[in-house]
Amino acid sequence: MKRRLLDIEFPDGVKYIFINDRRFDKREFYKAKALERRRGKKGRFVSLKD
């Protein structure tokens, strides 16, 4: 079962977290979370210009 990145908070006191078979450090996690916010209904990234 896939876990939504937007529903997860990075826990304090850990260096890495494993989600959907990927390892994220804190910087990568928040970058991936920001990209997930830009996904449209069809799963593709939408432009920020609109």
Side-chain angles (χ1 to χ4, degrees):
M1 180 171 98
K2 296 277 185 181
R3 296 185 66 188
R4 289 198 57 197
L5 203 59
L6 296 175
D7 297 335
I8 300 170
E9 293 296 324
F10 198 85
D12 293 333
V14 297
K15 290 186 178 184
Y16 299 102
I17 187 171
F18 287 89
I19 301 170
N20 297 337
D21 297 330
R22 290 195 57 205
R23 184 178 83 167
F24 295 99
D25 64 359
K26 195 169 196 172
R27 182 181 52 85
E28 291 172 345
F29 176 76
Y30 285 114
K31 182 179 178 181
K33 196 169 183 175
L35 284 173
E36 283 297 318
R37 285 190 198 111
R38 289 185 43 210
R39 283 196 189 269
K41 291 180 183 178
K42 295 183 180 180
R44 297 183 181 200
F45 291 114
V46 294
S47 174
L48 293 176
K49 295 178 184 178
D50 294 335

